[in-house]
Amino acid sequence: MNFIGYRTLKTVIGVVISIYFAQTLNLSYATAAGIITILCLQSTRRQSWQFASKMIAAFFLALLLAVISFFLFGFAPWVFGFFLLFFIPLSAKLHIQEGIVVSSVLITHILIENNISIAFILNQLSLMGIGISIALFLNLYMPSFENEIRKENIYIDQLLRKILLGMADSLRNRFVSIKEEELFQQLKAEIKKGQILTNKNVDNHFSSTTNVYVQYMNIRQQQAACLFKMRKHFVRLSVTYKQTILIAAFTTQVAESIQVHKSAEKEFEKLTKLRNSFTEMDLPKDRQEFENRSILYQFLNDMEEFLMLERILKSDS
């Protein structure tokens, strides 16, 4: 039974309830209500509401075109084709194409019965109303992804810390770890996974907490871009200088501070002091040292951007 998930059970229950209600009201084609429920039970609340609204709009458009077509030309298969000739492109133009299939099925009921009376039209409206209502009611409860998102946040923090520590080692020893590319790809993949989870959570639960998670993922994505820029500097570093060791130590301190509950202000202060200390040092002795210092300065600029994002993240947490 492990292959039967929560959404499958909800769909089955919704279909049974919809058909039961439709039969209780003695509606014709009661099973159509169950099919409408299946289609409206989307993976998130927002998607369900959007799908339902488009389905309703498409049905009223279909009803208008069908009544006019059947009234003018009678109940014949070619008339249904004539109706579709206008209904499909109009639905696409109005961005309500999600309702094309269901609306077309409901219109075939009118064709089969040769009936455009108000009573039968109300029958079709009732099928639509029951199917949509049951789906939206069942989607009032949606599982939260907060636990998964929190775990993802912790894992992303750990990856950031490992990457920064690896950069510190690269500065000291002038080599890049063979695991660096793997860590960067993991970070990229985990952020993408986290964004999918947070977007689903937002679509199900409209609260300030969900916005914090979205902000976290967006900032981590921007910080990952900073790290991608920072890693490029190592290709051009050729000699280890005093400044290199100082920046390596600072990078280690930043790595250790990657925790949401800590402030980023101390790191900013250390960055300012580090820059000031550079201005007091002797000028480069040759072109190679000058180029290396220039690269290190660019590295610090990227680190400053990283810390500015960290400050935003921690001030909003």
Coordinates of all heavy atoms in Angstrom, one line a residue, residues 12-57:
V12 N -9.6 9.9 -4.7 CA -10.6 8.8 -4.7 C -11.8 9.2 -3.8 O -13.0 9.1 -4.2 CB -10.0 7.5 -4.1 CG1 -11.1 6.5 -3.9 CG2 -8.9 7.0 -5.1
I13 N -11.5 9.8 -2.6 CA -12.6 10.2 -1.7 C -13.4 11.3 -2.4 O -14.6 11.3 -2.4 CB -12.0 10.7 -0.4 CG1 -11.4 9.5 0.4 CG2 -13.1 11.4 0.4 CD1 -10.6 9.9 1.6
G14 N -12.7 12.3 -3.0 CA -13.4 13.4 -3.7 C -14.3 12.9 -4.8 O -15.4 13.4 -5.0
V15 N -13.8 12.0 -5.6 CA -14.6 11.4 -6.7 C -15.9 10.7 -6.2 O -17.0 11.0 -6.7 CB -13.8 10.5 -7.6 CG1 -14.7 9.7 -8.6 CG2 -12.7 11.2 -8.3
V16 N -15.7 9.9 -5.2 CA -16.9 9.2 -4.7 C -17.9 10.2 -4.1 O -19.1 10.0 -4.3 CB -16.4 8.2 -3.6 CG1 -17.6 7.6 -2.8 CG2 -15.5 7.1 -4.2
I17 N -17.5 11.1 -3.3 CA -18.4 12.1 -2.7 C -19.1 12.9 -3.8 O -20.3 13.2 -3.7 CB -17.6 13.1 -1.8 CG1 -17.1 12.3 -0.6 CG2 -18.5 14.2 -1.3 CD1 -16.2 13.1 0.4
S18 N -18.4 13.3 -4.8 CA -19.0 14.2 -5.9 C -20.0 13.4 -6.6 O -21.1 13.9 -6.9 CB -17.9 14.6 -6.9 OG -17.0 15.5 -6.3
I19 N -19.7 12.1 -7.0 CA -20.7 11.3 -7.7 C -21.9 11.0 -6.8 O -23.1 11.1 -7.3 CB -20.1 10.0 -8.2 CG1 -19.0 10.3 -9.3 CG2 -21.1 9.1 -8.8 CD1 -18.2 9.1 -9.7
Y20 N -21.7 10.8 -5.5 CA -22.7 10.5 -4.6 C -23.7 11.7 -4.5 O -24.9 11.6 -4.6 CB -22.2 10.2 -3.2 CG -23.2 10.0 -2.1 CD1 -24.0 8.8 -2.0 CD2 -23.5 11.1 -1.2 CE1 -24.9 8.7 -1.1 CE2 -24.5 10.9 -0.3 CZ -25.2 9.7 -0.2 OH -26.1 9.6 0.8
F21 N -23.1 12.9 -4.4 CA -24.0 14.1 -4.3 C -24.8 14.3 -5.5 O -25.9 14.7 -5.5 CB -23.1 15.4 -4.0 CG -22.9 15.7 -2.5 CD1 -21.7 15.5 -1.9 CD2 -24.0 16.1 -1.8 CE1 -21.5 15.7 -0.6 CE2 -23.8 16.4 -0.4 CZ -22.6 16.2 0.2
A22 N -24.1 14.1 -6.7 CA -24.8 14.3 -8.0 C -25.9 13.3 -8.1 O -27.0 13.7 -8.6 CB -23.8 14.2 -9.1
Q23 N -25.7 12.1 -7.7 CA -26.8 11.1 -7.8 C -27.9 11.4 -6.8 O -29.1 11.2 -7.2 CB -26.2 9.7 -7.6 CG -25.3 9.2 -8.7 CD -24.7 7.8 -8.4 OE1 -24.6 7.4 -7.2 NE2 -24.3 7.1 -9.4
T24 N -27.6 11.9 -5.7 CA -28.6 12.2 -4.7 C -29.5 13.3 -5.2 O -30.7 13.3 -4.9 CB -27.9 12.7 -3.3 OG1 -27.0 11.7 -2.9 CG2 -28.9 13.1 -2.3
L25 N -28.9 14.2 -6.0 CA -29.7 15.3 -6.6 C -30.4 14.9 -7.9 O -31.0 15.8 -8.5 CB -28.8 16.6 -6.8 CG -28.3 17.2 -5.5 CD1 -27.2 18.3 -5.9 CD2 -29.4 17.8 -4.7
N26 N -30.3 13.6 -8.2 CA -30.9 13.1 -9.4 C -30.4 13.8 -10.7 O -31.2 14.1 -11.6 CB -32.4 13.1 -9.3 CG -32.9 12.2 -8.3 OD1 -32.5 11.1 -8.1 ND2 -33.9 12.7 -7.5
L27 N -29.1 14.2 -10.7 CA -28.5 14.8 -11.9 C -28.2 13.8 -12.9 O -27.7 12.7 -12.6 CB -27.3 15.6 -11.5 CG -27.5 16.8 -10.5 CD1 -26.1 17.4 -10.2 CD2 -28.4 17.8 -11.0
S28 N -28.4 14.2 -14.2 CA -28.0 13.3 -15.3 C -26.5 13.4 -15.5 O -25.9 14.4 -15.2 CB -28.7 13.8 -16.6 OG -30.1 13.8 -16.5
Y29 N -25.9 12.3 -15.9 CA -24.4 12.2 -16.1 C -23.7 12.5 -14.8 O -22.7 13.3 -14.8 CB -24.0 13.1 -17.2 CG -24.7 12.8 -18.5 CD1 -25.8 13.6 -18.9 CD2 -24.3 11.8 -19.4 CE1 -26.4 13.4 -20.1 CE2 -24.9 11.6 -20.6 CZ -26.0 12.3 -20.9 OH -26.7 12.1 -22.1
A30 N -24.1 11.9 -13.7 CA -23.5 12.2 -12.4 C -22.0 12.0 -12.3 O -21.3 12.6 -11.6 CB -24.3 11.4 -11.3
T31 N -21.5 11.0 -13.1 CA -20.1 10.6 -13.0 C -19.2 11.8 -13.5 O -18.0 11.8 -13.1 CB -19.8 9.4 -13.9 OG1 -20.3 9.6 -15.2 CG2 -20.5 8.2 -13.3
A32 N -19.8 12.7 -14.3 CA -19.0 13.8 -14.8 C -18.5 14.7 -13.6 O -17.4 15.3 -13.7 CB -19.8 14.7 -15.7
A33 N -19.3 14.8 -12.5 CA -18.9 15.5 -11.3 C -17.6 15.0 -10.8 O -16.7 15.7 -10.3 CB -20.0 15.5 -10.3
G34 N -17.5 13.6 -10.8 CA -16.3 13.0 -10.3 C -15.0 13.3 -11.1 O -13.9 13.6 -10.6
I35 N -15.2 13.4 -12.4 CA -14.1 13.7 -13.3 C -13.7 15.1 -13.1 O -12.5 15.4 -13.1 CB -14.5 13.5 -14.8 CG1 -15.0 12.0 -15.1 CG2 -13.4 13.9 -15.7 CD1 -13.9 11.0 -14.8
I36 N -14.6 16.0 -12.9 CA -14.3 17.4 -12.6 C -13.5 17.6 -11.4 O -12.5 18.3 -11.3 CB -15.6 18.3 -12.6 CG1 -16.2 18.3 -14.0 CG2 -15.3 19.7 -12.1 CD1 -17.6 18.9 -14.0
T37 N -13.9 16.8 -10.4 CA -13.1 16.8 -9.1 C -11.7 16.3 -9.3 O -10.7 16.9 -8.7 CB -13.8 15.9 -8.1 OG1 -15.1 16.4 -7.8 CG2 -13.0 15.8 -6.8
I38 N -11.5 15.3 -10.1 CA -10.1 14.8 -10.4 C -9.3 15.9 -11.0 O -8.1 16.1 -10.6 CB -10.2 13.6 -11.4 CG1 -10.8 12.4 -10.7 CG2 -8.7 13.3 -11.8 CD1 -11.0 11.2 -11.6
L39 N -9.8 16.6 -11.9 CA -9.1 17.7 -12.6 C -8.8 18.9 -11.7 O -7.7 19.5 -11.9 CB -9.8 18.1 -13.9 CG -10.0 17.1 -15.0 CD1 -10.9 17.6 -16.1 CD2 -8.6 16.7 -15.6
C40 N -9.7 19.2 -10.8 CA -9.5 20.3 -10.0 C -8.6 20.1 -8.8 O -8.1 21.0 -8.2 CB -10.9 20.8 -9.4 SG -11.7 21.9 -10.6
L41 N -8.4 18.8 -8.4 CA -7.5 18.5 -7.3 C -6.0 18.6 -7.7 O -5.4 17.6 -8.0 CB -7.8 17.1 -6.8 CG -8.9 17.0 -5.8 CD1 -9.3 15.6 -5.5 CD2 -8.6 17.7 -4.5
Q42 N -5.5 19.8 -7.8 CA -4.2 20.1 -8.2 C -3.2 19.9 -6.9 O -3.7 19.7 -5.8 CB -4.0 21.5 -8.7 CG -4.9 21.8 -10.0 CD -4.4 21.0 -11.2 OE1 -3.2 21.0 -11.5 NE2 -5.3 20.2 -11.8
S43 N -1.9 20.0 -7.2 CA -1.0 19.8 -6.1 C -0.9 20.8 -5.0 O -0.4 20.6 -3.9 CB 0.4 19.5 -6.7 OG 0.8 20.7 -7.4
T44 N -1.4 22.1 -5.3 CA -1.4 23.1 -4.3 C -2.8 23.8 -4.3 O -3.5 23.7 -5.3 CB -0.3 24.2 -4.6 OG1 -0.6 24.9 -5.8 CG2 1.0 23.5 -4.7
R45 N -3.1 24.6 -3.2 CA -4.3 25.3 -3.2 C -4.4 26.3 -4.3 O -5.5 26.5 -4.9 CB -4.4 26.1 -1.8 CG -4.7 25.2 -0.6 CD -4.9 26.1 0.6 NE -4.9 25.4 1.8 CZ -4.8 26.0 3.0 NH1 -4.7 27.3 3.1 NH2 -4.9 25.2 4.1
R46 N -3.4 27.1 -4.5 CA -3.4 28.1 -5.5 C -3.7 27.6 -6.9 O -4.5 28.1 -7.6 CB -2.1 28.9 -5.5 CG -2.0 30.1 -6.5 CD -0.8 30.9 -6.3 NE -0.9 31.6 -5.0 CZ 0.1 32.4 -4.5 NH1 1.3 32.5 -5.2 NH2 0.0 33.0 -3.4
Q47 N -3.0 26.5 -7.2 CA -3.2 25.8 -8.5 C -4.7 25.4 -8.7 O -5.2 25.5 -9.8 CB -2.2 24.7 -8.7 CG -0.8 25.1 -8.9 CD 0.1 23.9 -9.0 OE1 -0.2 22.8 -8.7 NE2 1.4 24.2 -9.3
S48 N -5.2 24.8 -7.6 CA -6.6 24.4 -7.6 C -7.6 25.5 -7.9 O -8.5 25.4 -8.7 CB -7.0 23.7 -6.3 OG -6.3 22.4 -6.2
W49 N -7.4 26.6 -7.2 CA -8.3 27.8 -7.4 C -8.1 28.4 -8.8 O -9.1 28.7 -9.4 CB -7.9 28.9 -6.3 CG -8.5 28.6 -5.0 CD1 -8.0 28.0 -3.9 CD2 -9.9 28.9 -4.6 NE1 -8.8 28.0 -2.9 CE2 -10.0 28.5 -3.3 CE3 -11.0 29.5 -5.3 CZ2 -11.2 28.6 -2.6 CZ3 -12.2 29.6 -4.6 CH2 -12.3 29.2 -3.2
Q50 N -6.9 28.4 -9.3 CA -6.7 28.9 -10.6 C -7.3 28.0 -11.7 O -7.9 28.5 -12.6 CB -5.2 29.1 -10.9 CG -4.5 30.2 -10.1 CD -3.0 30.2 -10.3 OE1 -2.4 29.2 -10.7 NE2 -2.3 31.3 -9.9
F51 N -7.1 26.7 -11.5 CA -7.7 25.8 -12.4 C -9.2 25.9 -12.4 O -9.9 25.8 -13.5 CB -7.2 24.4 -12.1 CG -7.5 23.4 -13.2 CD1 -6.5 23.1 -14.1 CD2 -8.7 22.7 -13.3 CE1 -6.7 22.2 -15.1 CE2 -8.9 21.8 -14.3 CZ -7.9 21.5 -15.2
A52 N -9.8 25.9 -11.2 CA -11.2 26.0 -11.1 C -11.8 27.3 -11.7 O -12.8 27.2 -12.5 CB -11.6 26.0 -9.6
S53 N -11.2 28.4 -11.5 CA -11.7 29.6 -12.1 C -11.6 29.6 -13.6 O -12.5 30.1 -14.3 CB -10.9 30.8 -11.6 OG -9.5 30.7 -11.9
K54 N -10.5 29.0 -14.2 CA -10.4 28.9 -15.6 C -11.4 27.9 -16.2 O -12.0 28.1 -17.3 CB -9.0 28.5 -16.0 CG -8.0 29.6 -15.8 CD -6.6 29.1 -16.1 CE -5.6 30.3 -15.9 NZ -4.2 29.9 -16.3
M55 N -11.7 26.9 -15.4 CA -12.7 25.9 -15.9 C -14.1 26.5 -15.9 O -14.9 26.3 -16.9 CB -12.7 24.7 -14.9 CG -13.5 23.5 -15.4 SD -13.4 22.1 -14.3 CE -11.7 21.6 -14.4
I56 N -14.4 27.3 -14.9 CA -15.7 27.9 -14.9 C -15.9 28.9 -16.0 O -16.9 28.9 -16.7 CB -15.9 28.7 -13.5 CG1 -16.1 27.6 -12.4 CG2 -17.2 29.5 -13.5 CD1 -16.0 28.2 -11.0
A57 N -14.9 29.7 -16.2 CA -14.9 30.7 -17.3 C -15.1 30.0 -18.7 O -15.8 30.4 -19.5 CB -13.6 31.6 -17.3

